[in-house]
Amino acid sequence: MSGTVVAVSSNGEYSFTKPNRDSITLLAGLGVEGDVHAGVTVKHRSRVAQDPTRPNLRQVHLIHEELFAEVGEEGFKVAPGELGENITTRGIDLLGLPVGAVLRLGDSAVLEVTGLRNPCLQIDNFQDGLLKQVVGRDEAGAVVRKAGIMSIVREGGVVRPGDTIDVELPSGPHRPLERV
């Protein structure tokens, strides 16, 4: 399974959106160089308030570009970086990946998938009603989160738009993604 990097984004300040860049540098065990969410321990404000010593399983946020077309059908206009992701992808079912899947990006960067992004009310502050489009319920009533996945950096490297993403699934039984 493979896909493509559509855009890369980062921001050194807390802000919901992240500006697109020509490239980002992933740092092993930390995240995106210069991004406010990079670090060994949690950096998202809500997580820091709960326990600032917990490991940062949300170093790099990825969203599939296909989500933008889906919400576009409901009248929302979203571009890469606007939902706070670091890497916008095309051609990979990110939400269908299991915990521990490995993503190889560009020449040397390696990410390990840790779980689902848990969308927050800031999405409605960005565009009223958008939160309902990225969080819903399936036929059985279970919560469905569509706002991308989170990962940690196993091996650093530079990532650019146009880079290939190769997916390696873990061996053994696959665990479905849960919010992290």
Side-chain angles (χ1 to χ4, degrees):
M1 179 183 333
S2 66
T4 306
V5 174
V6 173
V8 294
S9 310
S10 67
N11 198 339
E13 300 176 12
Y14 280 105
S15 172
F16 182 70
T17 62
K18 294 187 182 210
N20 295 155
R21 309 288 182 193
D22 293 332
S23 67
I24 57 173
T25 300
L26 302 182
L27 304 173
L30 295 173
V32 179
E33 182 177 48
D35 192 83
V36 71
H37 294 112
V40 174
T41 56
V42 293
K43 300 301 176 197
H44 288 76
R45 289 177 173 168
S46 63
R47 305 302 164 102
V48 170
Q50 292 172 359
D51 180 358
T53 65
R54 292 183 69 188
N56 187 2
L57 301 178
R58 301 166 56 102
Q59 294 175 357
V60 180
H61 175 202
L62 298 94
I63 283 186
H64 50 296
E65 180 186 53
E66 293 84 354
L67 176 65
F68 303 157
E70 182 181 326
V71 299
E73 291 174 7
E74 300 300 322
F76 296 93
K77 185 174 182 202
V78 181
E82 289 186 333
L83 294 182
E85 77 275 13
N86 300 110
I87 299 173
T88 309
T89 69
R90 179 185 307 128
I92 298 174
D93 177 12
L94 295 178
L95 304 178
L97 295 174
V99 172
V102 171
L103 307 177
R104 297 187 179 279
L105 299 95
D107 294 332
S108 60
V110 178
L111 298 176
E112 180 181 327
V113 176
T114 56
L116 295 168
R117 175 190 185 187
N118 191 32
C120 64
L121 287 175
Q122 290 183 17
I123 292 176
D124 270 351
N125 293 338
F126 172 66
Q127 286 186 41
D128 190 42
L130 185 56
L131 181 60
K132 194 175 226 180
Q133 300 300 312
V134 298
V135 179
R137 295 202 178 266
D138 64 15
E139 302 78 34
V143 174
V144 176
R145 294 171 177 85
K146 301 184 209 176
I149 64 171
M150 306 307 283
S151 64
I152 56 174
V153 181
R154 288 290 178 211
E155 295 178 30
V158 175
V159 179
R160 295 177 179 84
D163 281 350
T164 299
I165 305 168
D166 291 315
V167 178
E168 296 175 12
L169 299 176
S171 60
H174 293 170
R175 290 185 343 195
L177 299 178
E178 297 177 358
R179 69 182 179 91
V180 293

